[in-house]
Amino acid sequence: MAKVQQKSEKISAFGGIFFVLDKFDRILSSVIDSHLGLRSKLIGYQYSEIIRDGNANVRFMQAETHRRFFEMMRSFGIHVRSFRADCGSYSEDIVKMVMEHTDKFYIRAERYAGLYEKVKRQTGWTTVEIGFQQYDVQSFPFESFEDVKHCRLVVQRQRKQKGEQLDIFDGEYTYRCILTNDWGMTDEEIILHYNKRGSAEQVFDRQNNDFGWAHLPKSFMNQNTVFLLITAMAANFYRYIVALPLMAVLFGIKATDRVKSFGQSLGQAYGAYPSTCPND
């Protein structure tokens, strides 16, 4: 017979009880925010959210982290020519930091009503084909950040399909915007260049799901660094192996197969051969 375990609604996943969180919200949140102010004047994030939610917002200390990263790269004689990031880096202090340390940057602009109202008023759209789909593109000077100069916003829009749900920002079109200081490439070229960052994210997806990066095995960074390096080398070796033509001929393995599919294909191939072991 299955056990039925009653769970108290007073116990949270935080490991404490709800009235502690309520006390924090009522007493400490206002004190923290009144002294530190807003973390982002544009969006309105508060410092108390970091403690209350248990997780830092993606923009928290990001500019400082980028500064240390760029300075470390420079110390090794490496200069970053092109920087691409999603809307988690769309903040004035982050953009300013990136501009100081790179030649060109391409950052996805965040969706908010003021920006999209300006985008939807633009005229003179050009139709292009990107990824076998039709888009309208154009760009205009960016002026939403006071201390960010000589940048432009590259916009692509696509008419929504019949029956597709409309939202408060897009209306009849789906809009995507890229903030950049690159005035040399065309609008289409910038969109294609930005879209290449998706392939880099797939590398992390493979590492997280196929090579254990999602759950690091140790408690200390030095030990985890060794694990990350070894599994990265293993991933490179794996990609080399599955790309060999012989793998497709013998086992039906494609160069794009993930580790799980690779194991299944090997298992099926092994099972197809009769066992040479003598019977007991």
Side-chain angles (χ1 to χ4, degrees):
M1 185 172 64
K3 280 188 176 181
V4 178
Q5 185 176 16
Q6 291 185 343
K7 179 181 177 182
S8 173
E9 294 299 324
K10 294 183 179 180
I11 305 299
S12 74
F14 180 73
I17 45 183
F18 283 120
F19 77 83
V20 175
L21 301 179
D22 293 337
K23 287 284 187 181
F24 177 87
D25 281 339
R26 289 200 300 267
I27 300 174
L28 292 182
S29 290
S30 60
V31 175
I32 292 172
D33 296 331
S34 63
H35 281 76
L36 298 180
L38 295 176
R39 290 190 284 131
S40 170
K41 294 181 179 179
L42 178 66
I43 307 300
Y45 295 122
Q46 298 172 319
Y47 284 96
S48 61
E49 294 171 344
I50 300 171
I51 303 175
R52 182 170 61 244
D53 296 339
N55 294 299
N57 182 270
V58 66
R59 293 190 179 92
F60 180 66
M61 297 295 290
Q62 187 181 146
E64 173 62 18
T65 302
H66 282 316
R67 182 191 63 77
R68 291 187 283 108
F69 167 79
F70 288 130
E71 290 179 354
M72 181 186 67
M73 297 287 283
R74 186 179 293 117
S75 70
F76 288 99
I78 301 173
H79 177 70
V80 180
R81 292 182 299 174
S82 177
F83 177 91
R84 290 171 289 194
D86 63 17
C87 60
S89 297
Y90 183 73
S91 175
E92 183 169 0
D93 60 333
I94 299 171
V95 172
K96 287 168 58 179
M97 181 61 65
V98 171
M99 289 182 69
E100 292 174 7
H101 294 88
T102 64
D103 293 338
K104 298 290 188 294
F105 73 87
Y106 312 84
I107 296 176
R108 177 73 73 192
E110 191 169 49
R111 297 156 59 97
Y112 61 94
L115 175 63
Y116 274 76
E117 283 301 317
K118 185 173 183 178
V119 167
K120 287 187 282 189
R121 290 197 299 267
Q122 300 301 313
T123 58
W125 296 86
T126 301
T127 301
V128 299
E129 183 177 298
I130 300 175
F132 304 104
Q133 297 191 51
Q134 297 293 318
Y135 293 91
D136 299 327
V137 301
Q138 74 135 295
S139 61
F140 56 89
F142 179 80
E143 300 171 344
S144 297
F145 294 157
E146 184 177 352
D147 294 328
V148 174
K149 308 295 184 183
H150 310 297
C151 294
R152 63 173 171 146
L153 202 67
V154 178
V155 185
Q156 68 180 85
R157 73 178 187 182
Q158 184 180 40
R159 189 180 296 276
K160 293 187 175 181
Q161 300 296 321
K162 185 177 181 180
E164 190 174 354
Q165 184 176 358
L166 304 181
D167 61 46
I168 187 173
F169 292 111
D170 294 337
E172 62 177 315
Y173 290 95
T174 297
Y175 291 90
R176 297 290 183 269
C177 305
I178 302 169
L179 174 62
T180 180
N181 61 345
D182 187 340
W183 292 83
M185 290 198 292
T186 66
D187 298 341
E188 181 181 2
E189 289 172 337
I190 284 179
I191 294 169
L192 292 172
H193 179 69
Y194 177 84
N195 288 346
K196 291 179 181 178
R197 65 178 294 272
S199 59
E201 289 189 349
Q202 291 176 4
V203 173
F204 286 98
D205 177 62
R206 288 194 296 267
Q207 293 301 120
N208 287 336
N209 293 288
D210 294 353
F211 293 92
W213 280 23
H215 304 285
L216 298 180
K218 301 297 181 180
S219 300
F220 299 98
M221 191 60 195
N222 288 341
Q223 297 171 340
N224 284 327
T225 299
V226 174
F227 172 80
L228 293 172
L229 291 172
I230 292 176
T231 49
M233 290 188 288
N236 288 334
F237 181 70
Y238 168 78
R239 293 186 66 186
Y240 169 78
I241 291 296
V242 296
L244 294 174
L246 189 62
M247 300 300 288
V249 174
L250 293 180
F251 307 112
I253 294 172
K254 303 185 295 294
T256 56
D257 279 352
R258 302 289 287 264
V259 171
K260 184 177 180 179
S261 299
F262 175 79
Q264 291 174 344
S265 298
L266 284 183
Q268 291 171 358
Y270 178 78
Y273 291 96
S275 174
T276 58
C277 298
N279 294 327
D280 291 335

